[in-house]
Amino acid sequence: MPENPQNTRPKVKQGVISPGSLNPKLSAKRRVLPDVEELVKGILGGDRILLGRAITMVESQKYTHQRIAQEVIQKCLPHAGKSIRIGITGTPGVGKSTFIESFGQHLITEGCRLAVLAIDPSSQVSKGSILGDKTRMEQLSSNPSAFIRPSPAGDSLGGVARKTRESILLCEAAGYDTILVETVGVGQSETAVHSMVDFFLLLLLPGGGDELQGIKRGIVEMADLIAVNKADGDRLKLAKHAKRAYQNALHLFPPKESEWVPKVEICSAISSLGIPAIWQYINDYKSHTESNGFFKDNRIGQAKYWLYETINQRLQTSFFESEVIKKALPDAIKSVTEGQQTSFQIAEGLLNAFLGSNQK
Amino acid sequence: MPENPQNTRPKVKQGVISPGSLNPKLSAKRRVLPDVEELVKGILGGDRILLGRAITMVESQKYTHQRIAQEVIQKCLPHAGKSIRIGITGTPGVGKSTFIESFGQHLITEGCRLAVLAIDPSSQVSKGSILGDKTRMEQLSSNPSAFIRPSPAGDSLGGVARKTRESILLCEAAGYDTILVETVGVGQSETAVHSMVDFFLLLLLPGGGDELQGIKRGIVEMADLIAVNKADGDRLKLAKHAKRAYQNALHLFPPKESEWVPKVEICSAISSLGIPAIWQYINDYKSHTESNGFFKDNRIGQAKYWLYETINQRLQTSFFESEVIKKALPDAIKSVTEGQQTSFQIAEGLLNAFLGSNQK
């Protein structure tokens, strides 16, 4: 069972594994796969170690692990969904970790049970990972009311997003009522996160308001709340100025489908300024969208979106891993790179071969 | 035959069409589909009107049009590829149109035959389109050595990208030796453009260098040349300062696979400052990458990438448009939105139904 090396959860004994075994088949046989019933029982009982093991199954590339993961998710499904899911994004350096540390502490004093997950597809390139360094959230990660899981590494955005989404369901089944999904505000991952959360929080730095131009318009449009972080010391005045500038800028955007007017707040992880206000806004948002029906409608839309995503992924896997395509692909690639045939014609040919191969 | 309403090319007579016909079948029958041989002959002879018609076929959603388009592309393929393909990006307001107008004039005086295409998936939302307003490039669009085509509207990024890529091939077959592909620097479209061009040009505004933070790191990493635009009047000094700042910033990026060291240049559409230098850099780049083999390797890599993209698109179409999936999908969606089954399980079921339906 591959353990995520950046996993900060305690390691779980996994039966007798001899890493130096010369016979991989024998070694694989010796590994004890976790039992679905045991995992489900553990998760529903709030067992963090078994929750961690189940997420490791979710994150695994192996088919047997995936089968276990899907069974566990299916059994947890009736117990999932009863949380507020909050996406948090911001460019590197904006102070996401310290914000989550401070915000998380506040949530716990408010009686929340908090799970922090992450999406960072860039980690496959940089080998670094957000939430990967547990010292970055030292207090929070040692708190029994918080469960922190770093971003699964070495995968495509689609893969990482699916894993995070399934991990949310498991965390909810384990009784975590507040889910934070962290992402770096530099790529496409915001869209993925936005499609799995109820509330989207954008962290920005104090400044003259020009920074807004630096953030992709689409990300600003997603935000339900902009928090101007690091509003302490000399930067407090600047942050207040930025707040006004962002408030003005937000007026330029069209009204949101949720009928929620995005808020701007200044905050500081050091002084805790603004932290309770942000939590209050999130609660206001929840009441607002529950009463106008958007909260539920949005989740239904997200479920549909993820169904399509899952279908497309499964479809591709079944195609590219079929024997007939594996065999035909090298010639097809040769033909297209040598300019003999158009991509369209080759794709057509491969598709017919694939569908034909199922005619038996 | 649907004409792109934003198409600035001259309209072509398409046989007798009675728009008010009450019998759509009869009306469709009356339309004269363009002949493949005629289109190919026209394109290879440099006929701009027939090139425009062929691109309209490429952009059409209709199956019969697509079939014609693919035949035309296949026949043009041996005559395509002999151009330099240049991607141009920059945030709105950076002056892309005026830059292309000025840059394009220079290329034509240098003896180039220039095609300008665009990718703007955002136009499906805003209904606006880059290159859509022909007055924006008045001089260039009236020059017989230039062919300007606005971005196809109302489609997904994948769709727009495929159409632009296929249009490049047709323009090349028509004898255009310099292809500019314009895109807005705000979304994912840069990646699509980067995967179809040889050279990637990023336009920025004069400023203190802070703007670099505003552009996605990934886009800056793609750039072979950063041009600080609007370097005229009061902004000249600022632009020179920005040039130094960007040059310093570029040192922070890892070396490129092409072994080309990205350049920074200041330019002005008004004074033509920097325009010849930018064209010289592009020629230097071509010589450099042709001699080290990257030019060819990159195109091979791009062809592979587009093959996979095409396969995935065709695969999805064949799945979602099959009778069995059309029939099963509503229940599947109901089941997932009501939380009865996981997306994975439903996708699995649909896939089996789809593959099973081909067993006859």
Side-chain angles (χ1 to χ4, degrees), chain A residues 63 66 70-71 73-74 77-78 91 162 165-166 169 186-188 191 213-218 299-301 303-304 306-308 310-312 314-316 318-320 329 332-333 336-337 339-348 350-351 354-356 358-360, chain B residues 63 66 70-71 73-74 77-78 91 162 165-166 169 186-188 191 213-218 299-301 303-304 306-308 310-312 314-316 318-320 329 332-333 336-337 339-348 350-351 354-356 358-360:
Chain A
Y63 182 74
Q66 272 304 308
Q70 292 304 325
E71 269 190 69
I73 295 165
Q74 175 67 25
L77 214 50
T91 45
R162 176 187 65 76
R165 191 168 181 274
E166 293 178 347
L169 299 175
V186 290
Q188 309 167 235
T191 315
Q213 295 174 16
I215 307 282
K216 280 163 59 187
R217 188 189 154 96
R299 285 212 172 170
I300 288 174
K304 266 192 224 177
W306 284 103
L307 175 61
Y308 280 97
T310 310
I311 287 171
N312 289 336
R314 280 294 295 120
L315 198 55
Q316 285 181 26
S318 104
F319 181 84
F320 286 108
L329 204 55
I333 289 172
V336 80
T337 55
Q340 293 164 5
Q341 275 187 290
T342 67
S343 305
F344 187 86
Q345 285 175 316
I346 294 176
E348 209 63 22
L350 289 176
L351 196 72
F354 171 68
L355 296 178
N358 288 291
Q359 291 177 0
K360 43 182 121 84
Chain B
Y63 183 74
Q66 271 306 306
Q70 292 304 325
E71 267 190 71
I73 295 166
Q74 174 67 27
L77 214 50
T91 44
R162 176 187 66 76
R165 190 166 181 275
E166 293 177 347
L169 300 175
V186 290
Q188 308 167 234
T191 315
Q213 296 174 13
I215 307 281
K216 280 163 60 188
R217 187 189 156 96
R299 286 212 172 169
I300 289 175
K304 266 192 223 177
W306 284 102
L307 174 61
Y308 280 97
T310 311
I311 289 172
N312 289 336
R314 280 294 295 116
L315 198 55
Q316 285 180 26
S318 104
F319 181 85
F320 286 107
L329 205 55
I333 288 171
V336 80
T337 54
Q340 292 163 7
Q341 275 188 290
T342 67
S343 304
F344 187 87
Q345 285 176 316
I346 293 174
E348 208 64 21
L350 290 175
L351 195 73
F354 171 68
L355 295 177
N358 288 291
Q359 289 176 4
K360 45 181 118 92

Side-chain angles (χ1 to χ4, degrees), chain A residues 34-340:
Chain A
D35 179 70
V36 170
E37 293 307 325
E38 189 197 341
L39 286 175
V40 173
K41 208 181 145 196
I43 290 168
L44 297 182
D47 185 321
R48 294 149 59 105
I49 292 176
L50 287 171
L51 172 61
R53 287 198 76 183
I55 293 179
T56 302
M57 292 287 111
V58 164
E59 290 174 355
S60 169
Q61 310 278 10
K62 289 195 182 162
Y63 182 74
T64 45
H65 294 174
Q66 272 304 308
R67 224 178 40 196
I68 293 170
Q70 292 304 325
E71 269 190 69
V72 171
I73 295 165
Q74 175 67 25
K75 288 191 158 61
C76 286
L77 214 50
H79 309 276
K82 296 171 210 80
S83 79
I84 175 103
R85 303 167 184 167
I86 303 163
I88 298 183
T89 194
T91 45
V94 77
K96 282 188 295 296
S97 297
T98 46
F99 174 81
I100 291 175
E101 174 92 327
S102 177
F103 186 59
Q105 296 291 341
H106 177 72
L107 297 191
I108 289 168
T109 62
E110 293 280 305
C112 298
R113 293 197 66 216
L114 179 72
V116 185
L117 306 170
I119 290 192
D120 181 16
S122 68
S123 65
Q124 66 187 114
V125 178
S126 64
K127 306 290 177 209
S129 172
I130 49 175
L131 291 178
D133 182 0
K134 80 167 169 184
T135 59
R136 286 169 61 212
M137 294 187 197
E138 215 164 300
Q139 281 189 287
L140 206 57
S141 61
S142 62
N143 193 308
S145 293
F147 176 82
I148 298 181
R149 182 84 182 189
S151 177
D155 206 340
S156 65
L157 173 59
V160 171
R162 176 187 65 76
K163 289 165 184 179
T164 304
R165 191 168 181 274
E166 293 178 347
S167 300
I168 290 175
L169 299 175
L170 296 184
C171 290
E172 288 174 342
Y176 293 97
D177 51 31
T178 311
I179 316 283
L180 303 186
V181 184
E182 180 190 355
T183 187
V184 277
V186 290
Q188 309 167 235
S189 51
E190 294 73 27
T191 315
V193 171
H194 186 247
S195 66
M196 63 177 80
V197 298
D198 308 306
F199 188 92
F200 200 74
L201 170 57
L202 171 62
L203 290 180
L204 291 176
L205 284 174
D210 289 342
E211 291 84 355
L212 205 52
Q213 295 174 16
I215 307 282
K216 280 163 59 187
R217 188 189 154 96
I219 296 181
V220 178
E221 272 179 312
M222 286 179 202
D224 296 302
L225 170 65
I226 292 178
V228 184
N229 200 21
K230 299 192 180 176
D232 37 48
D234 294 345
R235 288 168 301 210
L236 183 57
K237 203 180 154 192
L238 212 55
K240 284 180 179 169
H241 180 74
K243 178 180 170 176
R244 279 190 300 274
Y246 293 143
Q247 273 170 333
N248 289 337
L250 283 179
H251 285 298
L252 303 173
F253 290 102
K256 292 174 87 87
E257 208 192 325
S258 59
E259 296 170 353
W260 168 257
V261 181
K263 308 298 184 229
V264 184
E265 194 49 76
I266 60 172
C267 65
S268 162
I270 296 170
S271 70
S272 292
L273 171 80
I275 299 289
I278 291 172
W279 181 230
Q280 187 54 51
Y281 276 134
I282 295 174
N283 282 306
D284 291 350
Y285 173 87
K286 194 162 185 256
S287 309
H288 170 85
T289 52
E290 277 176 348
S291 71
N292 72 5
F294 179 81
F295 194 90
K296 202 182 156 205
D297 289 348
N298 186 44
R299 285 212 172 170
I300 288 174
Q302 291 177 337
K304 266 192 224 177
Y305 172 82
W306 284 103
L307 175 61
Y308 280 97
E309 287 286 300
T310 310
I311 287 171
N312 289 336
Q313 281 175 31
R314 280 294 295 120
L315 198 55
Q316 285 181 26
T317 308
S318 104
F319 181 84
F320 286 108
E321 292 187 358
S322 71
E323 286 309 314
V324 60
I325 296 305
K326 273 190 198 163
K327 219 170 146 183
L329 204 55
D331 278 347
I333 289 172
K334 191 163 172 278
S335 176
V336 80
T337 55
E338 288 174 358
Q340 293 164 5

